[in-house]
PDB file of all heavy atoms in Angstrom:
ATOM      1  N   ARG B 664       7.285  -4.408 -30.723  1.00  0.00           N
ATOM      2  CA  ARG B 664       7.812  -4.401 -29.357  1.00  0.00           C
ATOM      3  C   ARG B 664       9.285  -4.031 -29.308  1.00  0.00           C
ATOM      4  O   ARG B 664       9.717  -3.313 -28.402  1.00  0.00           O
ATOM      5  CB  ARG B 664       7.586  -5.773 -28.722  1.00  0.00           C
ATOM      6  CG  ARG B 664       6.113  -6.038 -28.467  1.00  0.00           C
ATOM      7  CD  ARG B 664       5.792  -7.504 -28.391  1.00  0.00           C
ATOM      8  NE  ARG B 664       4.362  -7.688 -28.681  1.00  0.00           N
ATOM      9  CZ  ARG B 664       3.806  -8.860 -28.943  1.00  0.00           C
ATOM     10  NH1 ARG B 664       4.548  -9.945 -28.957  1.00  0.00           N
ATOM     11  NH2 ARG B 664       2.521  -8.948 -29.202  1.00  0.00           N
ATOM     12  N   VAL B 665      10.055  -4.536 -30.272  1.00  0.00           N
ATOM     13  CA  VAL B 665      11.481  -4.224 -30.277  1.00  0.00           C
ATOM     14  C   VAL B 665      11.690  -2.738 -30.525  1.00  0.00           C
ATOM     15  O   VAL B 665      12.516  -2.091 -29.871  1.00  0.00           O
ATOM     16  CB  VAL B 665      12.218  -5.069 -31.333  1.00  0.00           C
ATOM     17  CG1 VAL B 665      13.688  -4.680 -31.387  1.00  0.00           C
ATOM     18  CG2 VAL B 665      12.076  -6.555 -31.023  1.00  0.00           C
ATOM     19  N   ARG B 666      10.941  -2.168 -31.473  1.00  0.00           N
ATOM     20  CA  ARG B 666      11.069  -0.734 -31.760  1.00  0.00           C
ATOM     21  C   ARG B 666      10.676   0.089 -30.540  1.00  0.00           C
ATOM     22  O   ARG B 666      11.373   1.036 -30.173  1.00  0.00           O
ATOM     23  CB  ARG B 666      10.198  -0.355 -32.948  1.00  0.00           C
ATOM     24  CG  ARG B 666      10.294   1.117 -33.333  1.00  0.00           C
ATOM     25  CD  ARG B 666       9.379   1.444 -34.501  1.00  0.00           C
ATOM     26  NE  ARG B 666       9.764   0.678 -35.692  1.00  0.00           N
ATOM     27  CZ  ARG B 666       9.086   0.731 -36.837  1.00  0.00           C
ATOM     28  NH1 ARG B 666       7.992   1.466 -36.924  1.00  0.00           N
ATOM     29  NH2 ARG B 666       9.494   0.042 -37.873  1.00  0.00           N
ATOM     30  N   ALA B 667       9.567  -0.271 -29.888  1.00  0.00           N
ATOM     31  CA  ALA B 667       9.133   0.473 -28.705  1.00  0.00           C
ATOM     32  C   ALA B 667      10.142   0.326 -27.569  1.00  0.00           C
ATOM     33  O   ALA B 667      10.423   1.286 -26.842  1.00  0.00           O
ATOM     34  CB  ALA B 667       7.749  -0.011 -28.263  1.00  0.00           C
ATOM     35  N   PHE B 668      10.683  -0.885 -27.409  1.00  0.00           N
ATOM     36  CA  PHE B 668      11.714  -1.120 -26.382  1.00  0.00           C
ATOM     37  C   PHE B 668      12.939  -0.254 -26.643  1.00  0.00           C
ATOM     38  O   PHE B 668      13.496   0.363 -25.726  1.00  0.00           O
ATOM     39  CB  PHE B 668      12.088  -2.600 -26.384  1.00  0.00           C
ATOM     40  CG  PHE B 668      13.191  -2.967 -25.419  1.00  0.00           C
ATOM     41  CD1 PHE B 668      12.925  -3.174 -24.071  1.00  0.00           C
ATOM     42  CD2 PHE B 668      14.504  -3.112 -25.859  1.00  0.00           C
ATOM     43  CE1 PHE B 668      13.930  -3.524 -23.182  1.00  0.00           C
ATOM     44  CE2 PHE B 668      15.518  -3.455 -24.976  1.00  0.00           C
ATOM     45  CZ  PHE B 668      15.230  -3.663 -23.639  1.00  0.00           C
ATOM     46  N   ALA B 669      13.366  -0.197 -27.917  1.00  0.00           N
ATOM     47  CA  ALA B 669      14.536   0.602 -28.268  1.00  0.00           C
ATOM     48  C   ALA B 669      14.285   2.089 -28.027  1.00  0.00           C
ATOM     49  O   ALA B 669      15.164   2.809 -27.534  1.00  0.00           O
ATOM     50  CB  ALA B 669      14.909   0.363 -29.734  1.00  0.00           C
ATOM     51  N   ILE B 670      13.082   2.553 -28.367  1.00  0.00           N
ATOM     52  CA  ILE B 670      12.736   3.965 -28.124  1.00  0.00           C
ATOM     53  C   ILE B 670      12.790   4.256 -26.625  1.00  0.00           C
ATOM     54  O   ILE B 670      13.341   5.268 -26.184  1.00  0.00           O
ATOM     55  CB  ILE B 670      11.345   4.291 -28.698  1.00  0.00           C
ATOM     56  CG1 ILE B 670      11.377   4.213 -30.229  1.00  0.00           C
ATOM     57  CG2 ILE B 670      10.883   5.680 -28.246  1.00  0.00           C
ATOM     58  CD1 ILE B 670      10.007   4.336 -30.871  1.00  0.00           C
ATOM     59  N   GLY B 671      12.212   3.345 -25.826  1.00  0.00           N
ATOM     60  CA  GLY B 671      12.217   3.543 -24.376  1.00  0.00           C
ATOM     61  C   GLY B 671      13.620   3.545 -23.800  1.00  0.00           C
ATOM     62  O   GLY B 671      13.959   4.391 -22.959  1.00  0.00           O
ATOM     63  N   ALA B 672      14.464   2.609 -24.262  1.00  0.00           N
ATOM     64  CA  ALA B 672      15.844   2.566 -23.776  1.00  0.00           C
ATOM     65  C   ALA B 672      16.596   3.828 -24.181  1.00  0.00           C
ATOM     66  O   ALA B 672      17.404   4.361 -23.401  1.00  0.00           O
ATOM     67  CB  ALA B 672      16.549   1.325 -24.319  1.00  0.00           C
ATOM     68  N   GLY B 673      16.327   4.323 -25.412  1.00  0.00           N
ATOM     69  CA  GLY B 673      16.969   5.555 -25.860  1.00  0.00           C
ATOM     70  C   GLY B 673      16.541   6.752 -25.028  1.00  0.00           C
ATOM     71  O   GLY B 673      17.374   7.596 -24.643  1.00  0.00           O
ATOM     72  N   ILE B 674      15.233   6.833 -24.732  1.00  0.00           N
ATOM     73  CA  ILE B 674      14.727   7.925 -23.896  1.00  0.00           C
ATOM     74  C   ILE B 674      15.367   7.872 -22.516  1.00  0.00           C
ATOM     75  O   ILE B 674      15.800   8.894 -21.964  1.00  0.00           O
ATOM     76  CB  ILE B 674      13.191   7.837 -23.785  1.00  0.00           C
ATOM     77  CG1 ILE B 674      12.537   8.181 -25.128  1.00  0.00           C
ATOM     78  CG2 ILE B 674      12.669   8.771 -22.686  1.00  0.00           C
ATOM     79  CD1 ILE B 674      11.036   7.966 -25.148  1.00  0.00           C
ATOM     80  N   TYR B 675      15.453   6.665 -21.954  1.00  0.00           N
ATOM     81  CA  TYR B 675      16.026   6.510 -20.614  1.00  0.00           C
ATOM     82  C   TYR B 675      17.501   6.929 -20.611  1.00  0.00           C
ATOM     83  O   TYR B 675      17.974   7.598 -19.677  1.00  0.00           O
ATOM     84  CB  TYR B 675      15.890   5.053 -20.161  1.00  0.00           C
ATOM     85  CG  TYR B 675      15.924   4.865 -18.667  1.00  0.00           C
ATOM     86  CD1 TYR B 675      14.840   4.322 -17.981  1.00  0.00           C
ATOM     87  CD2 TYR B 675      17.046   5.214 -17.926  1.00  0.00           C
ATOM     88  CE1 TYR B 675      14.874   4.142 -16.615  1.00  0.00           C
ATOM     89  CE2 TYR B 675      17.082   5.037 -16.555  1.00  0.00           C
ATOM     90  CZ  TYR B 675      15.996   4.497 -15.903  1.00  0.00           C
ATOM     91  OH  TYR B 675      16.023   4.331 -14.553  1.00  0.00           O
ATOM     92  N   ALA B 676      18.240   6.519 -21.661  1.00  0.00           N
ATOM     93  CA  ALA B 676      19.661   6.858 -21.731  1.00  0.00           C
ATOM     94  C   ALA B 676      19.867   8.369 -21.819  1.00  0.00           C
ATOM     95  O   ALA B 676      20.700   8.942 -21.100  1.00  0.00           O
ATOM     96  CB  ALA B 676      20.305   6.169 -22.936  1.00  0.00           C
ATOM     97  N   VAL B 677      19.101   9.022 -22.681  1.00  0.00           N
ATOM     98  CA  VAL B 677      19.208  10.475 -22.833  1.00  0.00           C
ATOM     99  C   VAL B 677      18.803  11.179 -21.535  1.00  0.00           C
ATOM    100  O   VAL B 677      19.458  12.133 -21.091  1.00  0.00           O
ATOM    101  CB  VAL B 677      18.334  10.961 -24.006  1.00  0.00           C
ATOM    102  CG1 VAL B 677      18.255  12.489 -24.044  1.00  0.00           C
ATOM    103  CG2 VAL B 677      18.891  10.441 -25.320  1.00  0.00           C
ATOM    104  N   ALA B 678      17.710  10.709 -20.911  1.00  0.00           N
ATOM    105  CA  ALA B 678      17.238  11.327 -19.667  1.00  0.00           C
ATOM    106  C   ALA B 678      18.257  11.142 -18.542  1.00  0.00           C
ATOM    107  O   ALA B 678      18.466  12.049 -17.724  1.00  0.00           O
ATOM    108  CB  ALA B 678      15.902  10.718 -19.261  1.00  0.00           C
ATOM    109  N   SER B 679      18.899   9.988 -18.489  1.00  0.00           N
ATOM    110  CA  SER B 679      19.908   9.746 -17.461  1.00  0.00           C
ATOM    111  C   SER B 679      21.120  10.645 -17.669  1.00  0.00           C
ATOM    112  O   SER B 679      21.693  11.175 -16.710  1.00  0.00           O
ATOM    113  CB  SER B 679      20.336   8.277 -17.479  1.00  0.00           C
ATOM    114  OG  SER B 679      19.257   7.436 -17.129  1.00  0.00           O
ATOM    115  N   LEU B 680      21.516  10.826 -18.930  1.00  0.00           N
ATOM    116  CA  LEU B 680      22.615  11.743 -19.220  1.00  0.00           C
ATOM    117  C   LEU B 680      22.229  13.167 -18.829  1.00  0.00           C
ATOM    118  O   LEU B 680      23.032  13.907 -18.241  1.00  0.00           O
ATOM    119  CB  LEU B 680      22.974  11.675 -20.700  1.00  0.00           C
ATOM    120  CG  LEU B 680      24.164  12.529 -21.153  1.00  0.00           C
ATOM    121  CD1 LEU B 680      25.431  12.125 -20.412  1.00  0.00           C
ATOM    122  CD2 LEU B 680      24.361  12.419 -22.660  1.00  0.00           C
TER     123      LEU B 680
END
Side-chain angles (χ1 to χ4, degrees):
R664 291 156 202 167
V665 177
R666 181 181 298 177
F668 177 81
I670 293 172
I674 290 173
Y675 203 118
V677 171
S679 295
L680 183 60

